[in-house]
Amino acid sequence: MLFRVRKSSIEQPRSSFCPSLAVIADVMRLSENIAGVTILAFGNGAPDIFTSIVSGSDEGIIMFTELIGAGVFVTAIIAGSVAVVKPFRVNLKPLMRDACFYIISVCWISYVVRDETIHLWEACSFILCYVLFIAVVVAMQVYDNREASLKSRIPSVPDPDVLRAYLANKDTATIPKIPMRKRAYGLRTKLDVAIATELKREKGRTNVRIAESEEEENVDRPEGLFREFLYDINPIGREDWVNANRIFKFILIIRAPVMFLLQLFIPLVNPTAAKKGWSKLLNCFQLCVTPTLALFLLNAWSGHIGPVPVLPIFLVLGTAFGVTVFLITHVDRIPKYHNVFAFTGFLAAMLTVYLVAGEVMAVLQCVGYAFSISDAMLGITFLAWGNSVGDMISNIAIARQGFPRMGYAACFGGPMFNTLLGLGLTYGIAASQHPNHRTKMRMSDMAPGCFAFLLCSLLASIIYLNITGAVARKSYGYLLYSLYFVFILIQFLSEFRIIHPLGTDHRPEDNID
């Protein structure tokens, strides 16, 4: 998928984000709640955030309406689709927390932008709103952990022999196991990591096995340094090809050139793959060339550190690291520091998303100019859909696997993160460069309608789920579908000037008292 309007340039680096960020969160010993609202939220929201940053405040209409329009799409279409695919019982307390924070954030944003001027402190307040949300999440987790520990206390076993007998005869057949994948990259990469994380959360970290050692040995991977390298850089995996229908086979063929480059230059640590994605020659090659490639992508290759050009420095250091790792590692044994590649992959994927976001904005502007589509409409439709359709497919797939709560959980915190961080960083950077620490923004006539329907979607979820006792039925999904249909219908009618946009005063000035 090459741009999600062009569908996948953004989506594939995001799938690299998911396993790498899961590993980073585990290395940093972040709890699942904290990781979910910080580093994992950033990984999922990277396209929206980077699109906002590269657009800048000068093109604020398309960026602003994309963030709010994507919020309507996620909280209505994606949340509704999860309920339609797999009705489930919602955990009401986190939902109320996320939805109420989102409502407060939307109201604060609408108040700040009413005069089309954003001061530096106002931009910072958007980021501080999310920091406050993180603090509330942490406080609730501490309270819940304390309550759980009090309820789960059991009397200690006075006889150590009894305890040893219990542990020796404990049934391990019921411990869930995550299927082992042959390759680090694949169509199911994000889904596998998400399900593994959910099983660990539900069953307890010590009760989940990703794979047994004998299963790793039986994984049908080619042996040998060069054969393994060629297998891992193949952009179309045999397992994906066999299991794909005609549509996905076409997508696999279309995205193959992009996937080849991504697999060649971006390291990926995947806990659900054989050897956690360790491929000796490929990983060492990435250490040699990826830092130098990053210089060219950032257009910083001509810089100097003192009198010495920066390009040969990066090339020599990268080659030295790559050769050193090659000499001290084994083909069939995962090195102890393999998780470091997750951080390298994160930075490389982040750079890729940033660069692709700039190209996406350029393409959208050309499309808007060619077809006379307003920036606001581009943001609400093409860009909002493109940045959200990948999440929709993933969340529906997770729901079909029996984890609807997980697919639903990110439908409120995720767009709130994107909106607050996207607006806060974009306008904060612009305001900090102005002598008066403020910046002007361009508002669209469609913005009030976006705010109104986003609030309607959030309030509809709160009211419905409280009435039904926190049960998300299919009717909940159809209700949200109806809201989004009305929203997009009004926006299209406004775009073609059949009706006036919501919130605009269309009376002639001489008739206004």
Side-chain angles (χ1 to χ4, degrees), residues 307-325:
V308 183
V310 70
L311 181 60
I313 294 177
F314 272 70
L315 184 60
V316 170
L317 289 178
T319 303
F321 275 116
V323 172
T324 303
V325 172

Side-chain angles (χ1 to χ4, degrees), residues 253-269:
I253 294 173
I254 294 299
R255 73 171 194 164
V258 177
M259 279 300 303
F260 174 76
L261 295 176
L262 292 174
Q263 292 177 195
L264 192 61
F265 295 110
I266 300 181
L268 178 61
V269 181

Side-chain angles (χ1 to χ4, degrees), residues 41 94 146 155 173 189 196 235 246 252 266-267 306 314 351 404 406 410 451 501 512:
R146 186 177 302 171
T189 298
R246 291 183 179 180
L252 287 172
I266 300 181
F314 272 70
L351 175 61
M406 186 175 189
F451 280 124
I512 301 176

Side-chain angles (χ1 to χ4, degrees), residues 23 64 90 157 176 204 217 224 241 312 319 344 368 373 398 426 442 486:
V23 172
F64 188 84
V90 177
V157 180
E217 295 175 0
W241 183 262
T319 303
T344 307
I373 303 174
I398 290 172
T426 301
R442 297 170 59 204
V486 174

Side-chain angles (χ1 to χ4, degrees), residues 427-456:
Y427 291 114
I429 293 172
S432 63
Q433 296 172 350
H434 194 275
N436 295 326
H437 297 295
R438 64 184 180 186
T439 183
K440 297 292 275 185
M441 66 169 296
R442 297 170 59 204
M443 283 290 292
S444 166
D445 290 339
M446 295 183 180
C450 292
F451 280 124
F453 275 93
L454 179 54
L455 291 175
C456 285

